Amino acid sequence: REVDLALGDRGVVDLARINAALERIASGSYGLCDACGEYIGFARLQLEPQTAHCVACKSQWEKQTGSVPQARL
């Protein structure tokens, strides 16, 4: 039961990240880091197309907080 709940929560988070990426596409800001405004590398976008942060900003966030940044909702 706990696994089902965890997977359901993960699905909700994934869907929110995808919807946020679609909003960035519509607004013309897709591919720009939400934190620093720099371009997100093409290779990163290929691996994680719904990402909103460049590698440097995501790494910095993880070091400071111990967690990953949440999708912009």
Side-chain angles (χ1 to χ4, degrees), residues 2-71:
E2 288 180 31
V3 172
D4 289 339
L5 290 173
L7 289 174
D9 289 344
R10 174 68 187 207
V12 170
V13 170
D14 287 344
L15 183 58
R17 293 182 74 209
I18 291 167
N19 284 332
L22 291 171
E23 288 177 15
R24 288 191 303 278
I25 290 169
S27 72
S29 64
Y30 180 78
L32 297 175
C33 178
D34 277 356
C36 69
E38 295 294 321
Y39 285 103
I40 299 170
F42 182 72
R44 177 160 171 72
L45 289 172
Q46 282 185 311
L47 291 173
E48 192 175 353
Q50 72 280 12
T51 191
H53 299 91
C54 67
V55 172
C57 289
K58 182 178 179 197
S59 295
Q60 183 179 11
W61 178 277
E62 289 174 345
K63 286 177 187 175
Q64 290 175 350
T65 66
S67 65
V68 297
Q70 295 299 311

